[in-house]
C-alpha cells in the first residue's frame, strides 16, 4: 500500500458537549508501524483509539483509513471498514461461558450470516484458521475450555486471536495489559508484536507502562490533556520528555484554615 494507512486531521472530541478529551489531533500512521500511545490517566488515549473505529464518535475532524473516511461512515460502509480493524480490550470482552475456539470464531461475526454464528455452523476452513491462530499463541490445548476458566493472560491471547480472525489490516489495543501481572504482560506483548509483524499489520496500542512502550514500539506518541506532546522513537523518549508527558499543571495549594472548635480524630487537645 502506498501512503499512510491512517490519516487523522484536526480530530477533536468533546464529551457531553463540553468536556474536551481530544484537541485538534493531526497524525499519520504508516503501514506496519507498531505505535504505542502513552500519557497520564485521562489524557485522551482511549478516546483517540476509539475514535479510529467510531466506538467513540469524533466531534470534529477527519479520519481517512485505507483511503476512506471512517469518521463519517455509517451503516454497511462503517461495518465494512470496521471489519478491517481488529480490537483488543483491557477486559478481554470474551463470552465467558463459551469455549475458546468459539470465542475466536466470533471474530468472523461481521463477515458471516447471523445463522452461522447462532448455530455454530462455521466452516472447516474457519475452524482450522482459528485453531492455527490459537496454536500461534500457545493455546492449542485449550480449545474447548470455557473462557471464564482461563487466566487473564490466556484470555488476552484469545482476544488477540479473535481480532486476527477478522483478517484486519489494523489492530487497536486499548490497555491490553492493564489487568495483567508483569510476566503475563510480557507474554501477551511478545505475542502481539510477533503476530502483527508476521502478518505485516499496523498496530496501535495504549499503554500505561513507559518501559513496556519503549521495548515494543517502533514509534511512541505521548498524549497530555488531549494533545500530542511527543511523537518519536523509543530512543528519542528521554527522561525529560517522559516527565513532560506525565507532568500535570500544578494545582494551587489549597490553604486549609482550622475550623474554630474542630478537633481532628485522634488529635490531642492541649490547653
Ligand atoms: N464517556 C465519557 N463521557 C464523558 N467524559 C469522558 C468519557 N470518556 C472519557 N471521558 C473523559 O475524557 C477524558 C479522556 O479520557 P480517556 O479515557 O480517553 O483518557 P485515557 O488517557 O485513556 O485515560 P486512562 O489511562 O485512565 O484510561 C477524561 O477527562 C475522561 O474523564
Amino acid at each position: 500500500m502506498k501512503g499512510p494507512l491512517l490519516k487523522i486531521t484536526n480530530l477533536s472530541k468533546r464529551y457531553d458537549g463540553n468536556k474536551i478529551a481530544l484537541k485538534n489531533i493531526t497524525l499519520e500512521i504508516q503501514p506496519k508501524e507498531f505505535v504505542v500511545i502513552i500519557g497520564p490517566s485521562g489524557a485522551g488515549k482511549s478516546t483517540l483509539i476509539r475514535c479510529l473505529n467510531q466506538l467513540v464518535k469524533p466531534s470534529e475532524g477527519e479520519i481517512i483509513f485505507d483511503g476512506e473516511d471512517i469518521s463519517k461512515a455509517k451503516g454497511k460502509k462503517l461495518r465494512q471498514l470496521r471489519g478491517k480493524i481488529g480490537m483488543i480490550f483491557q477486559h478481554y470482552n470474551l463470552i465467558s461461558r463459551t469455549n475458546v475456539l468459539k470465542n475466536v470464531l466470533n471474530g468472523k461475526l461481521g463477515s458471516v450470516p447471523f445463522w452461522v454464528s447462532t448455530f455454530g455452523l462455521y466452516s472447516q476452513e474457519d475452524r482450522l484458521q482459528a485453531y492455527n491462530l490459537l496454536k500461534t499463541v500457545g493455546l492449542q490445548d485449550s480449545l474447548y475450555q470455557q473462557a471464564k476458566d482461563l487466566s487473564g493472560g490466556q484470555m488476552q491471547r484469545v482476544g488477540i486471536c479473535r481480532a486476527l480472525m477478522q483478517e484486519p489490516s489494523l489492530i487497536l489495543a486499548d490497555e491490553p495489559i492493564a489487568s495483567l501481572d508483569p510476566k503475563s504482560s510480557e507474554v501477551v506483548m511478545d505475542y502481539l508484536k510477533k503476530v502483527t509483524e508476521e502478518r505485516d499489520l499496523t498496530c496501535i496500542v495504549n499503554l500505561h507502562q513507559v518501559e513496556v512502550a519503549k521495548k515494543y514500539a517502533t514509534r511512541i506518541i505521548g498524549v497530555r490533556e488531549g494533545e500530542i506532546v511527543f511523537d518519536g522513537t523509543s530512543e528519542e523518549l528521554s527522561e525529560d520528555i517522559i516527565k513532560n508527558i506525565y507532568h500535570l499543571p500544578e494545582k494551587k495549594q489549597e490553604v486549609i484554615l482550622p475550623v474554630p472548635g474542630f478537633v481532628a480524630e485522634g488529635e490531642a487537645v492541649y490547653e
Side-chain angles (χ1 to χ4, degrees):
M1 180 191 174
K2 270 193 194 155
L5 181 69
L6 265 174
K7 191 170 186 322
I8 303 162
T9 313
N10 297 332
L11 173 67
S12 294
K13 174 65 190 175
R14 217 178 260 270
Y15 284 107
D16 303 331
N18 49 40
K19 168 82 207 175
I20 300 177
L22 292 178
K23 300 175 196 162
N24 240 3
I25 301 276
T26 292
L27 184 65
E28 284 189 1
I29 304 223
Q30 307 301 329
K32 300 194 225 174
E33 282 193 296
F34 195 99
V35 179
V36 176
I37 302 175
I38 58 168
S41 198
K45 306 181 295 294
S46 287
T47 304
L48 176 55
I49 274 213
R50 284 161 185 259
C51 278
L52 302 181
N53 59 358
Q54 259 201 62
L55 279 186
V56 166
K57 189 124 187 64
S59 305
E60 282 146 47
E62 187 183 70
I63 302 168
I64 304 293
F65 165 64
D66 216 3
E68 303 196 69
D69 188 354
I70 189 166
S71 59
K72 312 268 181 333
K74 288 190 181 123
K76 199 177 165 196
K77 186 82 223 166
L78 179 59
R79 282 199 297 280
Q80 183 217 327
L81 290 172
R82 275 185 178 158
K84 298 193 237 173
I85 305 177
M87 184 100 186
I88 296 168
F89 301 89
Q90 175 182 348
H91 298 296
Y92 327 116
N93 288 17
L94 302 181
I95 304 175
S96 60
R97 292 185 181 276
T98 292
N99 73 37
V100 165
L101 186 65
K102 281 190 189 155
N103 267 287
V104 175
L105 284 163
N106 276 343
K108 280 272 171 207
L109 271 184
S111 60
V112 293
F114 80 91
W115 48 265
V116 169
S117 55
T118 309
F119 301 109
L121 299 173
Y122 288 100
S123 66
Q124 207 45 38
E125 196 187 337
D126 285 347
R127 286 170 191 276
L128 187 62
Q129 187 186 355
Y131 170 79
N132 284 333
L133 286 171
L134 285 161
K135 202 170 160 192
T136 317
V137 301
L139 286 177
Q140 67 277 14
D141 296 330
S142 308
L143 302 185
Y144 299 106
Q145 230 175 311
Q146 291 204 337
K148 68 177 174 56
D149 297 330
L150 302 177
S151 69
Q154 288 173 326
M155 286 191 203
Q156 198 55 295
R157 279 142 69 188
V158 176
I160 293 174
C161 293
R162 182 187 52 194
L164 292 174
M165 197 67 197
Q166 278 176 242
E167 296 178 33
S169 48
L170 174 66
I171 295 263
L172 303 176
D174 194 5
E175 311 259 12
I177 56 168
S179 308
L180 302 179
D181 61 71
K183 182 67 210 150
S184 309
S185 296
E186 194 182 0
V187 172
V188 163
M189 286 304 294
D190 281 346
Y191 278 128
L192 184 59
K193 179 90 177 179
K194 176 172 171 265
V195 297
T196 50
E197 260 179 9
E198 281 173 357
R199 290 165 179 75
D200 286 342
L201 299 180
T202 310
C203 193
I204 308 178
V205 191
N206 276 350
L207 288 180
H208 269 289
Q209 306 85 337
V210 175
E211 284 317 307
V212 181
K214 286 182 103 158
K215 179 172 170 194
Y216 294 94
T218 58
R219 176 179 175 190
I220 297 178
I221 293 177
V223 177
R224 185 177 128 185
E225 296 180 321
E227 291 176 288
I228 294 177
V229 292
F230 172 77
D231 186 350
T233 61
S234 300
E235 293 73 37
E236 288 162 352
L237 185 72
S238 64
E239 282 304 312
D240 279 351
I241 293 172
I242 294 170
K243 272 189 204 143
N244 179 48
I245 296 171
Y246 286 89
H247 167 88
L248 292 165
E250 272 179 38
K251 286 201 179 112
K252 278 193 191 135
Q253 202 63 45
E254 250 181 68
V255 181
I256 302 167
L257 298 170
V259 180
F262 173 80
V263 180
E265 213 180 310
E267 220 176 68
V269 183
Y270 298 100
E271 299 286 358

